[in-house]
Amino acid sequence: MSRGSSFYTPSTLRSLEQERHQMRLAAPVISGYLLRKEARERGTSTRQTVAEPPMVCRDLVVQNALYTGNLEAVKEVFSKGFPADLVIQPQGGAMRWVTDGKVRGLWSLTYEQELTTPLHITAGRGFTECLRHLLLRGAQVNLAPGGTTALHEACEECQPECAKLLLQYSANANAVNEDGQMPLHVCTELESLECAKHLIAFGAVINSHSLDENNTPLHVAARHGLPDHVDLYLRHGAALNLQNDEGNTPLNSACSQPQDHASLERYTRVCHLLVAAGADIHISDTDKQTPLHMACKNVNPDVVDLLLQHNSLVNEMDYGGEAPMHNILKGVAYKVDHEPERIVQALLNYGSIRVWPVALPKVLKYCCTSPRTIEALLNAYDRLKITDAWVEAVPPEVFQKHRKFYESLFALTQMPRSLQHLARHRLRTFLEGRLHRVVPNLDLPPYLKNYLMLAFKGYIH
């Protein structure tokens, strides 16, 4: 059974439904009129005993005042003597599992949503003055009827002023929500940086672990590509090489996260910060994948260059028997705009294993949309046995789009590689594993150095 799943018998489901029904009947659900009546009967006292449960409010007038941030309406509703610790139960469609007591069951649309409070609503929407009024009226700052605190809500929604106000009123900076996360763990957006600063200033534990995945805030910031958060946490003593339940360090987390083209630069900055601070680039996850495996899989050439420059092992195998070269070749077709050819070129220059020649037609089939990748890959061989299978591997539309390159490749069916290429191959073979150190120091023109390092020409010769 997978993690997070559970098994219920029909009788168990029926018992749970009955219990939930009884709890709903017992909840003190009251209208706006009855709330005001309750307030009058209590006089001016706003104090509640610990044992007294907060009242549940479905009054749309109250909800409208809170959700729109109408300060005057909030002040009028939550006047002196009126309880500020209401539990708001918004009305809306939600799916839940219903059983008829037999084996059968179905998902049914009900009108129950997660419980919230006036503090949560105003904190999450940035209504600072409304939030201040509620706090002055004695609202419990750490109340969490839906499993999360108002501070979590403010941080998750990137509302730094609300987060700071809650902390000033003694909100717990290390409160744990129903997902096992502290407020620092929900700072997952670029705009949440100020929230993170306030949390640390008010005592948030920098190396706190989430209960579900054992992540630290540094893991979270690295996984979401937040360089300023990473820099902040490192300056406050975040541990670099702690591993979560999947065996990932913060560096592994950054490298393993899927990245679109727009976010490549952010993740590169994160990795530079972590490596510069001393992150171990050789730690692998539970599948024995290193940061280099992951950076190749997600096609981030700048991170691959960084890891290779810091002596990452180019031929390390994971539990599936795959090296970083396998990972990049699998991702070429999906991320051509990420410049996968740069990664193939770099891996080969650092001594990566090559593709078994018999498998080259298959590689051509899946990577043909990136002719530069094919060029770098094929220039690592001194000879190529091109057959009809090679020609058939390239779709006509791809051939037409990159006609010059593929005409030069398929012309090799009738001629050998050039003498120039053979000389390059011989020298590369002699320097294998040392190319990246030796070639830059050779007394050769830049053109020849680039040629030795598989510079792209746009054709095969």
Side-chain angles (χ1 to χ4, degrees), residues 312-429:
S312 188
L313 300 178
V314 73
N315 289 317
E316 184 84 359
M317 298 286 183
D318 63 15
Y319 277 139
E322 297 190 333
M325 179 63 81
H326 296 104
N327 280 0
I328 178 58
L329 292 179
K330 289 180 180 179
V332 169
Y334 307 102
K335 296 189 176 182
V336 175
D337 60 336
H338 286 212
E339 299 181 290
E341 66 272 11
R342 287 179 49 197
I343 296 179
V344 173
Q345 179 192 48
L347 292 175
L348 289 169
N349 287 336
Y350 276 78
S352 171
I353 58 173
R354 296 175 297 170
V355 176
W356 187 250
V358 177
L360 285 174
K362 183 176 181 180
V363 174
L364 179 60
K365 178 180 179 181
Y366 289 104
C367 300
C368 62
T369 54
S370 175
R372 281 192 161 198
T373 297
I374 300 299
E375 179 185 349
L377 194 63
L378 298 185
N379 278 337
Y381 301 85
D382 62 342
R383 67 196 70 183
L384 298 170
K385 186 179 180 181
I386 297 177
T387 65
D388 290 342
W390 288 56
V391 179
E392 294 169 359
V394 182
E397 63 274 14
V398 176
F399 179 87
Q400 290 300 326
K401 183 176 181 180
H402 307 288
R403 189 181 188 92
K404 178 183 176 181
F405 174 79
Y406 284 112
E407 283 182 342
S408 70
L409 172 60
F410 297 147
L412 295 181
T413 56
Q414 301 173 347
M415 64 183 69
R417 300 300 299 268
S418 69
L419 184 60
Q420 185 181 27
H421 169 73
L422 294 175
R424 171 175 63 178
H425 181 269
R426 179 59 180 162
L427 186 54
R428 285 179 60 87
T429 301

Side-chain angles (χ1 to χ4, degrees), residues 165-207:
L165 184 59
L166 290 166
L167 289 163
Q168 290 172 338
Y169 275 79
S170 302
N172 184 358
N174 296 302
V176 179
N177 66 12
E178 61 183 354
D179 295 320
Q181 298 174 322
M182 299 179 191
L184 272 181
H185 292 113
V186 301
C187 292
T188 59
E189 302 292 337
L190 292 169
E191 296 78 12
S192 66
L193 179 63
E194 293 303 314
C195 292
K197 290 179 180 179
H198 292 321
L199 290 169
I200 292 173
F202 280 85
V205 178
I206 196 67
N207 289 315

